[in-house]
Amino acid sequence: MAFLRERSGAFSPEKIVALLLVLAPLGWLAARALSGGLAPADPFGVAGGALGGGGLGGGALGADPALAARPLVEAIRYIGEWSIRLLLVTLAITPARRLFNWPRLLAARRTLGLGAAFYVVLHVGFYVADIGDLGMVVREIVLRIYLTIGFIALVGLLVLSATSWDGAVQRLGAARWNQIHMLVYPITALGLLHFFMQQKLDVTEPTLMTGLFLWLIYWRIAQRFQHGTGLVAMIVVAAAAGLSTALTEAGWYLAATGIDPWRVLNANLAFSYSIRPAWWVFGTGIAIALASEVVLKLRPLPVRRAARPQVTSRASSSAA
């Protein structure tokens, strides 16, 4: 099992945990499929109710009996949601590595990314099995825009997966390889759009996932300006992500149903009824900022020393 080992030959805890995270939802799905009766709610789910309805808790499969009347439909939805979650976890590796001074965490990124791609392939495979007619599947992908968007994301993930090995970096060169793997951002955005479009009325979880994705993007912008670990900058990132999440939710309901966006935005202040995704995103961002502040005080990042300019012999003689 070389893929679970470090270069030294020792087992990598980070790779092992990443693999278990990839396999856990499949194990849960298999358990529910084999239960034949009422099964506990999905412990990993975060889906909520419709606008103004239930909070976060309950899963993609909720408390439905086993996998409900159409098991493949439920499995398609469950696997699709987990593909988005794993993509976000993969993108979270880079900020987590820096915010918590955990360089070895980078070893888990490939396993998580390939796991997300596998889930998307499985998602499409279940869809094909449910339709039962490959020609019909092709027509649906061409004619239904949300399926077209999902298929484009699938192709993009397959390209990234095909180049996710050490030899690909050497053959393509580091610069070109990095350019190709920057596609993960538009691919994730397409996956989230696909998620929104197939959810119809209840977009609580797509909104939450989009908010977390925006937090990851905003953190990278802060990091580019050398503020990726500053407490004030992290609070600003959390606030910007939370506000963007609320605007995304309001904009989606306006475009999809014509609901007054102010009504949606006001729902974010109805704490007695539910906690909207924007607050979960903001709270998550604040929690990460505070946790990082504590960890980096106990285990500070190494100080980067500026390289001294090299002085040539000709320059030295001229100066003399």
Side-chain angles (χ1 to χ4, degrees):
M1 303 182 72
F3 70 98
L4 292 179
R5 296 180 182 273
E6 300 174 350
R7 292 186 177 182
S8 64
F11 278 107
S12 167
E14 291 79 10
K15 291 183 178 181
I16 293 172
V17 171
L19 180 62
L20 292 175
L21 179 60
V22 170
L23 294 178
L26 288 179
W28 184 260
L29 182 64
R32 295 207 65 190
L34 295 173
S35 66
L38 287 172
D42 171 13
F44 307 106
V46 291
L51 175 62
L56 298 175
L61 303 180
D64 296 338
L67 289 179
R70 297 186 61 188
L72 277 178
V73 173
E74 295 296 333
I76 289 167
R77 183 170 59 181
Y78 179 88
I79 293 297
E81 290 176 1
W82 265 102
S83 65
I84 295 292
R85 295 169 189 170
L86 286 174
L87 272 175
L88 293 179
V89 173
T90 304
L91 290 175
I93 292 296
T94 296
R97 179 185 63 160
R98 183 159 181 82
L99 289 169
F100 302 107
N101 192 13
W102 193 352
R104 293 173 58 181
L105 193 60
L106 190 62
R109 188 166 62 184
R110 180 179 298 177
T111 300
L112 292 167
L114 291 175
F118 171 70
Y119 270 66
V120 174
V121 172
L122 198 59
H123 176 69
V124 175
F126 281 176
Y127 174 73
V128 173
D130 183 57
I131 298 297
D133 182 342
L134 191 57
M136 177 68 75
V137 170
V138 173
R139 286 193 295 272
E140 289 286 292
I141 291 175
V142 172
L143 296 176
R144 296 181 181 270
I145 184 62
Y146 81 96
L147 292 178
T148 306
I149 291 171
F151 183 75
I152 293 172
L154 167 65
V155 173
L157 279 174
L158 291 177
V159 171
L160 297 188
S161 299
T163 57
S164 291
W165 54 294
D166 294 338
V169 181
Q170 298 174 356
R171 294 185 181 186
L172 293 171
R176 182 177 297 179
W177 188 89
N178 284 325
Q179 289 176 351
I180 292 174
H181 280 256
M182 288 291 287
L183 290 173
V184 68
Y185 301 109
I187 287 171
T188 304
L190 288 174
L192 288 166
L193 180 58
H194 172 78
F195 195 4
F196 266 105
M197 296 179 75
Q198 63 89 35
Q199 282 294 101
K200 298 181 176 65
L201 293 179
D202 180 11
V203 294
T204 304
E205 185 170 3
T207 302
L208 175 64
M209 296 296 104
T210 299
L212 295 175
F213 177 62
L214 290 172
W215 184 92
L216 292 167
I217 296 298
Y218 293 160
W219 179 86
R220 282 165 167 80
I221 294 173
Q223 175 65 16
R224 177 164 294 186
F225 290 97
Q226 305 298 318
H227 299 302
T229 57
L231 180 60
V232 174
M234 290 291 294
I235 293 174
V236 171
V237 166
L243 178 60
S244 298
T245 303
L247 293 175
T248 298
E249 183 180 36
W252 177 262
Y253 276 114
L254 174 63
T257 65
I259 294 178
D260 184 355
W262 287 110
R263 178 185 169 191
V264 183
L265 291 173
N266 286 334
N268 285 279
L269 302 178
F271 297 107
S272 60
Y273 195 57
S274 68
I275 300 178
R276 303 308 305 161
W279 291 106
W280 286 101
V281 172
F282 174 70
T284 300
I286 293 297
I288 292 173
L290 296 177
S292 173
E293 187 74 6
V294 172
V295 170
L296 291 183
K297 285 188 179 299
L298 297 174
R299 191 173 56 190
L301 290 166
V303 178
R304 293 184 178 181
R305 297 181 179 179
R308 295 182 179 180
Q310 295 183 351
V311 181
T312 62
S313 57
R314 181 178 298 178
S316 299
S317 59
S318 298

